[in-house]
Amino acid sequence: MDSLTNRFKAALAQGRQQIGLWCSLASPISTEVVAGAGFDWLLLDMEHSANDLRDIYAQLQAMMEGDTHPMVRVPSDDPITIKRILDAGAQSLMIPNIDDAEQAARVVAATRYAPRGIRGFSQAPRAARFGRIKDYHTRCEAEIFVAVQVESRRALDNLDAIAAVEGVDGVFIGPGDLSTSLGHVGQQGHPEVVATIEAAVARIVRAGKHAGILTPSEELARRYIAAGTRFTAVGSDMGLLARGSEALAARFRA
């Protein structure tokens, strides 16, 4: 594979499960550490963390030498933010709170140059290795992975239409907001929530798109993988630090 090939997208096309970790600590040091742990992909989160563009830029640099693939969750469907993250070199994006097909189509358009979309043209961004990838602008679209998040009752009602949008590669279920929308705030393991997620995964798979999810529960992660998820995040850097440090302190307090 050459430097422009999206290894994560290629692996999914081959049917290979991709196991990931959520990264919210906004540190290139911690991201570099977990990037060497053996995960297939890391999610660099801009929605619910202190990450801004410079933080993401530095973390993309920190991951350059390894095989773990970076995906960036932008804070919203704002096309300016999407453009800047793509120019920084991210090839895989997650966009939160997508509720209908029209919104999904707008998101896809933000990742495409004219005439297929509205992404602003930059001659030599980091994504093109500052002009060293000569055919970047003609090849980049095929290597971009667009994952949209469905996180509400309305999104579930429109799921089939969202998944049918050309250019949507993956549909990622947000269990936190979805459980809240279903009336079970903070109860991602509630039977209704789990059953709803499994049914949604089946619909995504039937639509021919890759299904994804995040859960720190190993039991639920294996259950959702069995249901059909193909890019599955199984924990977070913040969770590992918090729970690991608590466990260590508790052992010595005892």
Side-chain angles (χ1 to χ4, degrees), residues 84-117:
R84 299 186 78 191
I85 294 300
L86 288 173
D87 283 353
Q91 292 181 294
S92 297
L93 300 183
M94 186 181 296
I95 299 88
N97 300 307
I98 300 300
D99 285 327
D100 56 44
E102 290 75 18
Q103 187 184 12
R106 290 196 300 271
V107 163
V108 172
T111 70
R112 271 55 171 162
Y113 292 119
R116 291 172 53 81

Side-chain angles (χ1 to χ4, degrees), residues 38-59:
F39 293 100
D40 297 303
W41 60 288
L42 300 182
L43 189 287
L44 310 179
D45 188 21
M46 298 182 72
E47 185 188 17
H48 290 295
S49 79
N51 276 316
D52 60 22
L53 178 61
R54 285 183 179 272
D55 297 316
I56 295 298
Y57 198 108
Q59 288 169 79

